[in-house]
Amino acid sequence: MKPTILVSWLDMDRLDRLLDALPAAQARARDALLDELGRARLAEPWEMPPDVVTMNSRLRFSFEASEQPVTMTLTYPKDMNGGAGQLSILTPVGTALLGLKVGDTMSWERPDGGLFEVTVHAIEYQPEREGVYHR
């Protein structure tokens, strides 16, 4: 059983619009994100706890098979610019991270059917914590 996640209503609205616009070729990513959002509790953006992964958060996380954490920004596809530090919400890892808190670990199915586990270690930047709601 996957845990309930916390998502701001503003991120939920933006993600709903993203999902409505996705082409049929991205059905797998759409379905995975829909499943994730189906477990979400909604919060006001200005009441979002500072330790929760939101859209455009820069976070440090690791995979169970790696001892080395990585730092990336959870990004909407339209904002991807090819930078190494970006992680699309439409990737399995990006979808798994949304709404988790620092210290949470989540198991997720890779596209090849195997499982991976990801752990959130820190949130270096969260737009809501900084009062940035229109991004």
Side-chain angles (χ1 to χ4, degrees):
M1 178 106 180
K2 294 180 181 176
T4 300
I5 59 171
L6 187 62
V7 176
S8 81
W9 65 261
L10 195 53
D11 280 349
M12 180 69 84
D13 182 57
R14 291 174 179 142
L15 291 168
D16 280 342
R17 283 186 272 141
L18 168 68
L19 290 168
D20 288 344
L22 282 179
Q26 292 185 297
R28 182 179 217 161
R30 182 192 64 233
D31 293 346
L33 186 52
L34 276 171
D35 286 347
E36 187 79 357
L37 295 175
R39 299 182 299 104
R41 277 186 348 189
L42 295 180
E44 296 289 346
W46 47 88
E47 294 177 355
M48 185 62 65
D51 64 343
V52 174
V53 178
T54 64
M55 291 304 300
N56 295 306
S57 289
R58 186 172 54 250
L59 63 142
R60 194 171 65 242
F61 62 95
S62 65
F63 297 98
E64 89 181 292
S66 172
E67 295 178 18
Q68 194 73 323
V70 295
T71 300
M72 299 186 90
T73 300
L74 186 60
T75 308
Y76 293 98
K78 68 178 182 59
D79 297 328
M80 297 290 292
N81 62 16
Q86 294 182 307
L87 177 65
S88 172
I89 185 63
L90 294 179
T91 63
V93 177
T95 298
L97 288 167
L98 180 68
L100 295 182
K101 295 183 302 189
V102 172
D104 282 351
T105 298
M106 175 80 149
S107 294
W108 200 259
E109 187 174 338
R110 293 188 317 241
D112 66 4
L115 291 178
F116 69 81
E117 194 171 81
V118 63
T119 300
V120 178
H121 298 288
I123 298 177
E124 296 180 359
Y125 171 81
Q126 182 204 61
E128 292 81 0
R129 183 170 62 207
E130 304 299 321
V132 178
Y133 307 115
H134 301 288
R135 47 196 165 20

